[in-house]
Amino acid sequence: MLPNERGARQAIVIGGSMAGLLSARVLSEHFEKVIILERERLPEGPEARKNAPQGRHIHALLEAGLTVLDGLFPGLVQDLVHEGADLVDLARDAAWFQSGSWKVRYEGGPRSILVSRPFLEWKVRARVTALPNVEVWQGYGVEELLTDASRTHVTGAKVKGPEGERTLEGGLVVDTSGRGSRAPHWLEELGYGRPEEEQVGIDLGYTSRLYERPASFDAWKILVVNGRAPEAKRSGFISNVEGGRWIVSLNGYFGDHAPADDEGFLEFARGLPTPHLYEYIRDAKPLSTPVSHKIPTSRWMHYEKMARFPEGFVLLGDTVCALNPVFGQGMTVACLGAKLLGEKVARARTSPGGLHAGLARGFQKELSKIVGLCWFLTTTMDLAYPETRGKRPFGLKAVQWSVQNMIDLTSLDAKACHAFYEVLHMRKGMEGLLQPGFVSALMAYNLKSLFVPREQRANLTTLPPAPGRTAPPAAPNGRDVAA
């Protein structure tokens, strides 16, 4: 049987990280009560959570994600800025060495906010838990899903917490528990089989630490150094975060991981494709010890392809797709997934069949369109390394060649760079790269690449100054940064 009247008025969210908090926020508009089940005890301040070790490393929020946050939590962005976060124009404020060439800098690019993941999550959690119909049950995990007699509708969950086991009824159960989700096992136990799992093996390692931000430094607000595949396997990031600090993250593929000691951290930075990041941090004051985290694979669980799927159960965030964090898409995909969930529930509430008339399957299929764009962009780049484990589609090398040319084109052409940013920040889908002006410019550049050496058709060496400045930025210590 379906949830009783009381259960139908209640929603259950598994997991209390960003995806779970955002899901609870949108569901609070449609259910009398929303219960977030979180296995660990949550910190009272802006601290990294034990069960989310990735939180201690650099995080990005693309413009599409920032727009969702701004809409769900009016005043949150202003609050973050007031407390030291930076609201930035990434075309102006980012110095980005992508795949071997420097992005052109100009005014009017996508917006983002530079803030540490623990601080952002703490602020969002405070907003969500202040809602009168949202409860967070700390120390609770889900043992199994509850269903009706026919096993076609999920009606709640059996949970285990400090006081033992109990059952919770719910008109909707949302799994946002991340990579460790037990959903494949639960669905198999219920007779639905397991979802198809797609993996791309990257053997990625991150090491990060905080530094004191040099006083009055304003040459850029975020510096990104991405190596060019397949030769360079290292990348590095420096970003302003709240508290007058820099967060510095160094990463490498296939076992080339930055050490977690002072000397090794700096030496790894010295080995990046350009010396810029090393020069900026060599004399900066560290505020924390280096911490490391490893990500063996990117992974997409294709719930949208399952032949059968129960009503009353949806999944989003890393539970569905855990992307390569180097590309900074994870939080934005969680934001867009939560927004989609709110829209689907709102429509279902006014339809004759309510929440149990195709909501679950329809949600997973529409979510896969959001995930698919990000998966294509990241895996296309990662599969350029011969060591990467994963299926290589027909024509991949031709796509990678054109993508690399597109990246080099954006080192000199502001209009092309803007079109690229609009797709990257999910203002537009892939159709954004099919505009006549962009297509003609890329075709001309592809032709040029056959005859003109790369160093003569792309900016491979000079960190561009911010708009309005004429000289490239020097390191904080006053030394020029060598090309």
Side-chain angles (χ1 to χ4, degrees), residues 279-299:
E279 290 291 343
Y280 284 119
I281 68 170
R282 63 182 296 182
D283 296 321
K285 179 183 177 182
L287 299 177
S288 67
T289 56
V291 292
S292 296
H293 180 58
K294 295 181 180 180
I295 300 100
T297 63
S298 301
R299 188 206 67 187

Side-chain angles (χ1 to χ4, degrees), residues 18 46-61 113-121 204-210 222 235-242 245-252 257-260 265 268 288-295 324-328 331:
M18 283 294 290
E47 304 161 19
R49 295 185 295 112
K50 179 181 178 181
N51 288 353
Q54 70 274 17
R56 295 176 294 178
H57 303 271
I58 192 168
H59 276 68
L61 189 64
I113 192 158
L114 306 181
V115 61
S116 70
R117 166 66 182 266
F119 191 78
L120 176 61
E121 190 170 304
L204 178 72
Y206 256 100
T207 305
S208 302
R209 73 187 310 182
L210 293 165
I222 180 170
S235 295
F237 309 81
I238 305 177
S239 175
N240 289 3
V241 292
E242 73 286 348
R245 301 173 297 170
W246 275 344
I247 184 169
V248 179
S249 289
L250 305 177
N251 69 270
H257 302 159
F265 189 84
F268 188 94
S288 67
T289 56
V291 292
S292 296
H293 180 58
K294 295 181 180 180
I295 300 100
N324 182 343
V326 168
F327 298 92
M331 286 201 301

Side-chain angles (χ1 to χ4, degrees), residues 197-310:
E197 182 175 354
E198 188 173 0
Q199 288 195 10
V200 173
I202 52 177
D203 187 17
L204 178 72
Y206 256 100
T207 305
S208 302
R209 73 187 310 182
L210 293 165
Y211 285 84
E212 183 179 286
R213 192 190 312 165
S216 303
F217 180 76
D218 64 351
W220 42 257
K221 294 183 179 179
I222 180 170
L223 172 72
V224 181
V225 175
N226 296 132
R228 176 182 168 90
E231 298 86 6
K233 297 180 174 65
R234 296 183 179 184
S235 295
F237 309 81
I238 305 177
S239 175
N240 289 3
V241 292
E242 73 286 348
R245 301 173 297 170
W246 275 344
I247 184 169
V248 179
S249 289
L250 305 177
N251 69 270
Y253 290 102
F254 314 114
D256 186 18
H257 302 159
D261 63 89
D262 293 353
E263 184 178 351
F265 189 84
L266 280 174
E267 193 58 32
F268 188 94
R270 191 203 292 265
L272 288 170
T274 77
H276 297 80
L277 187 147
Y278 169 75
E279 290 291 343
Y280 284 119
I281 68 170
R282 63 182 296 182
D283 296 321
K285 179 183 177 182
L287 299 177
S288 67
T289 56
V291 292
S292 296
H293 180 58
K294 295 181 180 180
I295 300 100
T297 63
S298 301
R299 188 206 67 187
W300 187 1
M301 306 297 290
H302 288 282
Y303 292 102
E304 82 285 357
K305 293 184 179 180
M306 294 183 70
R308 298 171 55 243
F309 199 82

